[in-house]
């Protein structure tokens, strides 16, 4: 029972006997444990050197047990710390091992998952293992996981995992899709919408990605879906860059008090703005401060800030930096 504290079976027997009495001699301990007096005396001497027992009298030698919290807990803490250090060392070795094998064995980088049931199981496992962030591309017409069935997301959100989810516009036409988005956003999901997504994809903690190898859904392959589970590699980094690129273009989604998803229409590419708004955007892109913009446009700083907020809502920008980028992309200036 006390091997974890560094005691042998005989040492534990001796210590337990001393805990149960005020004091005992080596002969007393030998009689109670079945050990020889000489062996009992050697064990007591060893325990005394480690501070686990105290010699209470010299002649005849009598011993008492040190309190268990003093005698045992420090040893357990030291062992726990050593175990944690060993665990960290094993983790580092494992990463080194995998990194070495990845160079020669593609199976260490890519695992093929076939079938809707296997794909659903993998998606749940990935989300259950998430600790920091999950990124998701949600296309229309599900392949393996219908809207409303991804309960693993809510468990992860409750643990503090951040979800950034991109929905393509056609997704909202699927049965139950809107209710699913409403539930996700209310649970803490950070959701955005884009006109179209290039593929389905889920990325967990920037270390694992799951995406299809062939098109799926009602208008895709009639065969069982086949997906790839990607581990740390250049391909995974490319998928992360792809997600961030689409995320920057996404329109933030909100849920109204009545439970409806609001998807701002945004500004169509090339849609002209007023001359004042174009001037304001040009100054903003040039990095001119609000005070200087207000002076040039003969407006108050509060009015400038209000108009910038209006343009951000109009374009679906989440920040001024994104507004400046979208202004150039959409041909607004």
């Amino acid at each position: 029972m006390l091997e974890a504290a560094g005691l042998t079976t005989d040492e534990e027997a001796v210590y337990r006997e001393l805990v149960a009495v005020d004091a005992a001699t080596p002969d007393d301990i030998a009689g109670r444990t079945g050990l020889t007096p000489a062996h009992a005396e050697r064990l007591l001497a060893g325990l005394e050197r480690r501070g686990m027992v105290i010699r209470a009298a010299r002649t005849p030698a009598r011993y008492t047990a040190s309190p268990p919290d003093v005698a045992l807990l420090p040893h357990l803490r030291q062992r726990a710390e050593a175990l944690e250090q060993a665990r960290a060392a094993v983790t580092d070795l494992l990463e080194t091992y995998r990194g070495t094998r990845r160079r020669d064995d593609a199976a260490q980088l890519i695992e093929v998952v076939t079938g809707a049931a296997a794909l659903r199981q993998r998606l749940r496992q990935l989300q259950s293992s998430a600790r920091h962030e999950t990124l998701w591309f949600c296309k229309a017409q599900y392949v393996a996981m219908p809207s409303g069935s991804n309960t693993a997301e809510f468990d992860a959100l409750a643990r503090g995992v951040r979800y950034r989810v991109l929905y393509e516009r056609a997704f909202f036409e699927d049965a139950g899709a809107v209710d699913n988005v409403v539930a996700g956003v209310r649970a803490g999901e950070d959701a955005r919408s884009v006109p179209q997504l290039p593929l389905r994809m889920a990325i967990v903690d920037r270390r694992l990605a799951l995406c299809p190898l062939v098109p799926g859904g009602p208008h895709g392959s009639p065969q069982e879906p086949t997906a790839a589970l990607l581990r740390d590699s250049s391909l995974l980094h490319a998928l992360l860059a792809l997600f961030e690129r689409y995320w920057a273009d996404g329109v933030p989604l909100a849920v109204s008090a009545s439970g409806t998803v609001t998807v701002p229409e945004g500004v169509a590419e090339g849609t002209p703005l007023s001359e004042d708004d174009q001037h304001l955007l040009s100054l903003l892109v040039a990095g001119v401060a609000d005070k200087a913009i207000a002076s040039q446009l003969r407006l108050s700083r509060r009015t400038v800030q209000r108009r910038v907020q209006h343009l951000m809502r109009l374009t679906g920008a989440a920040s001024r930096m994104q507004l400046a980028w979208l202004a150039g992309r959409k041909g607004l200036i």
Side-chain angles (χ1 to χ4, degrees), residues 118 120-130 152 204 207:
R120 280 193 298 274
Q121 182 180 21
R122 273 299 190 182
L123 285 169
R124 293 190 182 105
Q125 289 173 343
L126 284 176
Q127 293 176 93
S128 296
S129 70
V204 170
R207 62 183 178 83

Side-chain angles (χ1 to χ4, degrees), residues 112-125 142-146 149 210 212 214 216-217 221-227:
V112 177
V113 181
T114 303
L119 185 54
R120 280 193 298 274
Q121 182 180 21
R122 273 299 190 182
L123 285 169
R124 293 190 182 105
Q125 289 173 343
Y142 75 89
V143 172
M145 191 170 282
S149 64
L210 189 64
V214 293
S221 171
Q223 306 298 321
E224 284 276 24
T226 301

